[in-house]
Amino acid sequence: MKGELEKNIVKRIKVNLDKCIGCRACELACSVFHANPKYSSVNPAMSRIQVVIDPLNDEYVPIRACDYSKAGCDGRRVYTINGKEYSECSFCGTVCPTRDLFKEPDSGLPLKCDMCEDDPPQKEPLCVQVCQVGALVYEEEEEEVEEEVRPDEMEIGLKSLIDKYGLEKLADTFARMSQKV
Amino acid sequence: MRYAETGYNLEIDLSRGNIERVETDPSLTDLHLGGQGANAKILWDRVPPEVEPSSPNNLLVFSAGLLCGTPVPGVTRTSVNTFSPQTNFFSHSTMGGFFAPELKHAGYDRIVIRGKAPSLVYLWINNDKVEIRDATHLRGKGVTETAALIREELKEPKAQVAAIGLAGENRVYTSSIGHGWSSAARGPGPVMGDKRLKAIAVRGTKDINIARPAELFEMCLRLAKEIYENPNVGDVMAVNEDDSFHHDNFAWGNARVRRKGYWTKELEERWRKLKYDHMDRQTGCYNCPKKCITVISYPGRKRFGYKCYAKDTYHMAAFQELDFSYEILGIAQEYGLDSYSTPQVIAFALELYEAGILTDQDLPGMPSDVRGRFYYLMEKIVHREGIGDVLANGVYWAARQIGKGAEAYDHNTTKKLEQIPIKLGRLNPLYFLMTATGEKMATTQIEGSFPQDPLPTREEREEFVRNWEAVPNDKLKQIFLEWEKRHEMAVEASCLICDWNEMMHYVDDAIGMCGFLSSFSGQHAGRPAYHINNLPYIISLATGMDLDKDGLWEIATRNRNLVRAINVRRGLRRKDERPPEDHWRVRDHEFEQKLLDAYYEFKGWTNDGIPTKKTLDKLGLNYVSEDFLRRGILTGNEGAPSKQTSSEKGDELKSRGC
Ligand code: SF4
Ligand code: SF4
């Protein structure tokens, strides 16, 4: 999937763990913005940002959903920061089979952060807009990157279904269902 | 479609192990909203007055407020209602945190629990899958420890847990239900223990629907920012290190000694350092930009979080400094002890010891230093061991069980419940009414909308009133404009203010709103984030109800009268509406009774504090008035105010300040 060099706006969300108060307003806002139709319902379990919280360990880590992977990591690091232990998973946005994070609760389909694409564009992603304490800060930067063809949301969903059920079964089901329509 | 609410209750019978999902009647939402309002209706309908709090037929109801789980910032309250073994009355209790929205996402507005489990169990609610599970391995475990163990065993790190500690298991009356760093006190703790329900864990991943979602969401974006920037809402004590207010004005020990001038700059610096040296962060509740909870790691203790005045109660009861509170809170909270009442019970016991009413025989092996004694008594209470079995029933009952003059040391309870330890000089008519008649039996749960203090000049007052968005009507504006001295408040004005203050709490408790953003937070600068003028529209956007200010006020009034009716049916009368005798040094009993007369009349209650048939019927509570007539609580002749002549009343409305 190699492409040409092109100018690209890199969108960055800086996360300050020390500032996070664990309110999960970011989760709520993301789910509302991505509801279908837009704003129609609330469901943090559908959010593409999730705050990993362990109050007893004073751990508050907002992570955003990245790519889908059909396998979990086989080795995991544990980091100690300021005397507090964090699993590597606490910082990882990959949608993987080892946990329920970033999967639609009913279908199990993966969710992915799209930086709140909107028309007209939002001034900032919604999670950043609602994070009053400034734990999430949005930045844009121009960067030269090699163009890459990104799979769209349907493609990611289909891929995860293939991984789960196998291509053949999926194709069968697809064929069966299209006959019914 | 139901908006903001799910339309389902979860009915749990612990005796039979039965679980049912029951659709609710939408018209009840129109009448009572949700939260405590809906709970009151359930308790009226289903718990007859002869049911003892310890009976399996007593219900324990956890209800999310109507707006919990919507995008409205700061609606975080779960109302937990039951009949309290300490007071035998309706137990008003709420907790913040994350429980209520999770319950809604699981598909339920409330959990109604009856019966008693044969052995210790916990409830696991995972969307449609609900189980009663064995909890014998969690016996004696601490509140946060239990939550962590349950999350681990269910492999559900996002489950929200409400649990009791050892104190609740042993039915200690001053125990509370803990959820994260939040808790529900004043009654439900011992009832949960009595039902042998160690915890409730909830995980919900369903949608909550909103009637006019885009408008509401846009409004909430703005509200969240305003709340974050408003210094008058949220727990001001979390950010203000000057705590001279409590230390100089509240009473130390067994609500006994005021230490004017205790607070110094040197002390403030030292305590500030102690706090920040041990503070990990400040946090709060679901979808709220405030950080009311201070999280502390103290050497040798589990991490714990506290809110508000809870950081003062232990060291003030023990005449110690802040480090003592930090030292003991980590343990007391794990036991699930309420930090308002428990320190008072301990200080009361130590006073009895000083007075020779309790002796070394009652307190074998008690250490000689005060800190050691606090730990000693706390252990006895939590285990209900020896004298602890008596003290675990709270000051009122313990005094009567101990006898030998101990009753005289019970000087800070109202309706059998420990009150905030305030002992003042001159009677304040408004506070008299609030303390006497508040059905939540705690001043903090009724005060808060009208400012605590007048402004010095007319110009300042005019300026204040001009920007006073929260005020319900011009009459209250006028009262503030003319108000000059704190303790001088005419009878009619006192009634109007008491009613407004109280109504806002009834609104909050029904919708799940946090008082720190609303009903409690107008008293310093008059600038709460939510008030009677903006809430009806917010509720309408979320629920689709057609609601205006008068409509919301009427619902709050209905809920308030229903709670009163529930208690009246269990025997509450005028004689019970007494603030502690020494709450004010200078009392005027005749005037106080006039205040009560006027307030009852204003509320549409009889001279004995019973809502009249007219009042009840006007609110659609005909089933209550019929019940009262059947039981002979009302005779049917109570139309007019019973005792006073109107000329007396006219005089009194004009004069009598303090
Ligand atoms: S909104 Fe900000 S403070 Fe709140 S949980 Fe998300 S990142 Fe943390
Ligand atoms: S940027 Fe948008 S999509 Fe991504 S996590 Fe934040 S709210 Fe969700």
Side-chain angles (χ1 to χ4, degrees):
Chain A
M1 292 213 196
K2 286 236 160 166
E4 317 253 286
L5 274 188
E6 66 154 32
K7 288 252 194 270
N8 201 359
I9 302 284
V10 177
K11 300 171 179 176
R12 189 182 289 141
I13 295 176
K14 289 172 68 176
V15 183
N16 186 335
L17 302 190
D18 294 335
K19 284 192 174 169
C20 178
I21 58 171
C23 66
R24 298 171 59 202
C26 48
E27 292 181 10
L28 183 146
C30 176
S31 78
V32 170
F33 181 77
H34 290 89
N36 191 7
K38 198 182 260 180
Y39 302 118
S40 61
S41 62
V42 188
N43 191 354
M46 292 280 281
S47 169
R48 294 128 203 256
I49 182 168
Q50 294 285 334
V51 192
V52 177
I53 298 178
D54 178 358
L56 291 182
N57 189 35
D58 188 46
E59 180 180 340
Y60 296 83
V61 190
I63 41 177
R64 40 183 287 276
C66 314
D67 289 322
Y68 161 80
S69 149
K70 66 175 170 185
C73 307
D74 43 15
R76 278 168 228 169
R77 274 163 276 222
V78 173
Y79 296 102
T80 299
I81 308 171
N82 277 337
K84 291 181 282 185
E85 271 190 6
Y86 297 81
S87 153
E88 188 170 9
C89 300
S90 294
F91 299 103
C92 175
T94 307
V95 193
C96 85
T98 64
R99 59 178 183 187
D100 284 340
L101 238 43
F102 306 126
K103 290 173 191 157
E104 278 189 14
D106 292 336
S107 63
L109 288 176
L111 297 160
K112 188 175 177 182
C113 164
D114 60 2
M115 289 298 221
C116 293
E117 265 173 19
D118 202 7
D119 188 17
Q122 290 283 335
K123 65 174 172 24
E124 288 175 332
L126 265 289
C127 57
V128 176
Q129 287 187 41
V130 297
C131 182
Q132 305 295 334
V133 297
L136 306 176
V137 175
Y138 183 67
E139 279 179 357
E140 280 181 3
E141 206 182 308
E142 218 170 66
E143 218 179 57
E144 270 196 349
V145 291
E146 213 171 89
E147 198 193 357
E148 178 197 351
V149 187
R150 287 175 170 274
D152 65 13
E153 224 172 272
M154 180 166 42
E155 216 171 297
I156 297 171
L158 278 174
K159 194 165 176 301
S160 79
L161 287 174
I162 294 171
D163 291 336
K164 200 163 170 188
Y165 301 107
L167 184 58
E168 210 173 317
K169 187 152 186 230
L170 196 70
D172 283 353
T173 315
F174 186 77
R176 189 162 33 87
M177 285 177 73
S178 13
Q179 276 168 8
K180 278 192 204 154
V181 191
Chain B
M1 197 190 302
R2 307 279 280 258
Y3 297 110
E5 62 177 352
T6 67
Y8 288 93
N9 288 353
L10 196 55
E11 295 275 348
I12 308 288
D13 186 329
L14 291 172
S15 300
R16 296 189 300 139
N18 198 47
I19 297 168
E20 260 175 275
R21 177 170 173 265
V22 179
E23 193 170 351
T24 57
D25 176 358
S27 68
L28 288 179
T29 309
D30 295 335
L31 290 171
H32 301 283
L33 300 174
Q36 184 191 254
N39 287 3
K41 172 75 171 128
I42 291 171
L43 288 171
W44 169 273
D45 284 346
R46 291 171 50 184
V47 187
E50 35 319 321
V51 171
E52 300 277 337
S54 64
S55 158
N57 294 329
N58 185 12
L59 298 181
L60 175 65
V61 195
F62 287 72
S63 181
L66 181 61
L67 296 192
C68 292
T70 70
V72 181
V75 256
T76 58
R77 285 324 194 247
T78 310
S79 273
V80 191
N81 301 107
T82 184
F83 290 102
S84 156
Q86 189 165 2
T87 63
N88 195 33
F89 291 135
F90 180 85
S91 162
H92 156 83
S93 188
T94 68
M95 62 183 187
F98 299 78
F99 192 88
E102 199 70 36
L103 184 65
K104 285 265 188 86
H105 284 298
Y108 313 97
D109 297 317
R110 61 194 59 82
I111 316 166
V112 185
I113 300 157
R114 69 184 300 266
K116 270 187 210 194
S119 63
L120 201 64
V121 294
Y122 75 92
L123 190 62
W124 168 221
I125 303 167
N126 185 9
N127 293 319
D128 296 337
K129 208 177 97 234
V130 183
E131 310 166 27
I132 299 169
R133 297 173 64 111
D134 173 53
T136 45
H137 59 299
L138 300 170
R139 192 185 304 283
K141 297 278 189 262
V143 171
T144 60
E145 191 185 9
T146 300
L149 287 167
I150 288 179
R151 285 196 187 110
E152 207 176 288
E153 97 180 24
L154 298 172
K155 297 197 178 39
E156 202 36 272
K158 290 214 152 191
Q160 297 299 337
V161 181
I164 50 171
L166 186 58
E169 281 178 48
N170 287 338
R171 295 159 288 100
V172 172
Y173 288 3
T174 63
S175 66
S176 48
I177 301 170
H179 159 59
W181 316 125
S182 307
S183 61
R186 291 184 302 272
V191 173
M192 191 154 158
D194 198 50
K195 295 193 173 303
R196 301 198 185 90
L197 180 62
K198 177 68 180 172
I200 304 176
V202 196
R203 174 64 178 147
T205 60
K206 298 189 192 184
D207 290 352
I208 293 173
N209 297 304
I210 307 295
R212 286 154 71 187
E215 277 166 278
L216 181 67
F217 189 67
E218 199 195 353
M219 181 173 195
C220 292
L221 280 176
R222 207 181 60 239
L223 279 168
K225 190 161 190 295
E226 280 170 20
I227 290 170
Y228 179 66
E229 286 165 358
N230 183 344
N232 306 303
V233 299
D235 179 11
V236 286
M237 285 180 73
V239 282
N240 186 359
E241 306 307 326
D242 177 354
D243 194 5
S244 52
F245 175 72
H246 294 104
H247 291 86
D248 285 354
N249 296 308
F250 282 36
W252 296 59
N254 178 26
R256 206 52 95 168
V257 190
R258 264 174 97 179
R259 299 167 90 184
K260 282 259 169 211
Y262 174 81
W263 195 262
T264 61
K265 273 285 147 205
E266 183 273 329
L267 185 83
E268 187 173 317
E269 257 332 293
R270 201 146 42 78
W271 287 14
R272 178 203 305 271
K273 193 168 173 332
L274 186 76
K275 172 177 167 187
Y276 288 101
D277 281 354
H278 296 94
M279 186 178 101
D280 292 317
R281 81 177 60 231
Q282 286 180 317
T283 161
C285 303
Y286 180 72
N287 190 31
C288 175
K290 288 303 199 192
K291 19 185 176 178
C292 303
I293 296 168
T294 300
V295 181
I296 297 285
S297 286
Y298 206 71
R301 295 288 184 264
K302 266 193 133 117
R303 193 169 259 123
F304 68 92
Y306 66 77
K307 196 167 62 192
C308 195
Y309 170 64
K311 80 170 201 302
D312 295 341
T313 52
Y314 279 101
H315 71 250
M316 286 181 72
F319 292 98
Q320 296 293 301
E321 288 206 7
L322 180 64
D323 64 312
F324 179 56
S325 288
Y326 281 4
E327 200 184 83
I328 199 168
L329 269 175
I331 298 179
Q333 285 191 0
E334 272 303 272
Y335 277 145
L337 285 166
D338 170 39
S339 49
Y340 279 70
S341 46
T342 312
Q344 282 191 49
V345 179
I346 297 177
F348 158 79
L350 289 178
E351 248 188 16
L352 294 185
Y353 180 68
E354 296 299 321
I357 296 175
L358 287 180
T359 64
D360 288 328
Q361 263 165 2
D362 302 307
L363 306 160
M366 184 168 77
S368 55
D369 65 303
V370 68
R371 291 187 176 205
R373 287 177 170 180
F374 261 68
Y375 284 112
Y376 170 93
L377 285 166
M378 184 170 77
E379 290 297 326
K380 295 272 177 224
I381 290 171
V382 166
H383 290 94
R384 274 194 177 270
E385 189 185 286
I387 192 70
D389 192 27
V390 173
L391 295 171
N393 295 336
V395 169
Y396 176 90
W397 292 111
R400 272 124 201 107
Q401 279 173 273
I402 293 166
K404 299 185 237 163
E407 294 89 337
Y409 293 78
D410 159 28
H411 71 128
N412 200 44
T413 58
T414 292
K415 295 170 187 157
K416 307 189 176 72
L417 211 65
E418 291 78 10
Q419 300 296 303
I420 281 213
I422 310 177
K423 301 291 163 188
L424 301 164
R426 284 168 67 196
L427 179 86
N428 179 322
L430 174 61
Y431 278 80
F432 170 81
L433 280 183
M434 292 195 294
T435 317
T437 67
E439 219 96 331
K440 303 181 182 172
M441 304 167 197
T443 318
T444 53
Q445 305 297 318
I446 179 169
E447 65 181 345
S449 288
F450 197 81
Q452 271 191 2
D453 286 298
L455 287 171
T457 66
R458 177 91 194 181
E459 290 68 54
E460 284 168 277
R461 297 199 290 271
E462 275 168 4
E463 174 63 23
F464 179 93
V465 161
R466 235 190 315 281
N467 304 311
W468 201 5
E469 282 175 29
V471 73
N473 56 48
D474 288 345
K475 233 173 174 174
L476 282 154
K477 272 190 193 170
Q478 202 55 37
I479 291 172
F480 187 78
L481 276 176
E482 283 159 20
W483 184 34
E484 288 180 340
K485 291 199 179 114
R486 191 169 207 265
H487 295 79
E488 291 180 14
M489 181 70 76
V491 171
E492 189 195 11
S494 299
C495 294
L496 281 167
I497 298 169
C498 187
D499 187 57
W500 175 28
N501 282 352
E502 174 165 84
M503 275 321 124
M504 289 317 298
H505 282 274
Y506 277 84
V507 169
D508 282 356
D509 295 337
I511 61 174
M513 177 59 72
C514 170
F516 272 144
L517 304 175
S518 178
S519 53
F520 185 76
S521 69
Q523 58 187 322
H524 300 301
R527 306 278 175 261
Y530 298 100
H531 43 76
I532 194 66
N533 296 310
N534 67 3
L535 279 170
Y537 186 57
I538 294 172
I539 299 171
S540 298
L541 289 181
T543 62
M545 286 170 78
D546 186 11
L547 198 64
D548 60 11
K549 187 164 113 181
D550 293 341
L552 183 56
W553 197 279
E554 188 185 327
I555 296 173
T557 309
R558 179 178 303 117
N559 288 344
R560 201 278 166 262
N561 277 280
L562 187 55
V563 169
R564 162 101 353 186
I566 288 171
N567 284 334
V568 161
R569 201 165 65 161
R570 294 179 81 88
L572 179 80
R573 294 293 184 274
R574 181 184 187 120
K575 63 176 176 12
D576 301 302
E577 311 235 274
R578 302 159 63 94
E581 267 329 300
D582 58 357
H583 193 83
W584 297 277
R585 210 172 45 250
V586 187
R587 299 284 294 255
D588 178 345
H589 288 282
E590 200 188 320
F591 172 60
E592 289 168 15
Q593 293 315 310
K594 280 197 167 179
L595 266 170
L596 266 189
D597 287 343
Y599 189 62
Y600 285 169
E601 190 193 339
F602 176 88
K603 287 281 211 189
W605 297 347
T606 71
N607 212 260
D608 213 7
I610 304 166
T612 62
K613 179 168 174 359
K614 196 171 146 211
T615 303
L616 293 165
D617 293 356
K618 216 174 83 197
L619 293 164
L621 298 172
N622 307 57
Y623 58 91
V624 175
S625 62
E626 281 156 25
D627 182 276
F628 279 4
L629 288 171
R630 232 181 357 257
R631 290 175 191 275
I633 293 172
L634 286 177
T635 60
N637 304 321
E638 289 92 352
S642 37
K643 224 172 64 185
Q644 270 184 319
T645 67
S646 49
S647 73
E648 263 173 14
K649 198 186 80 207
D651 287 349
E652 154 218 323
L653 291 187
K654 269 184 259 128
S655 61
R656 293 319 293 253
C658 54

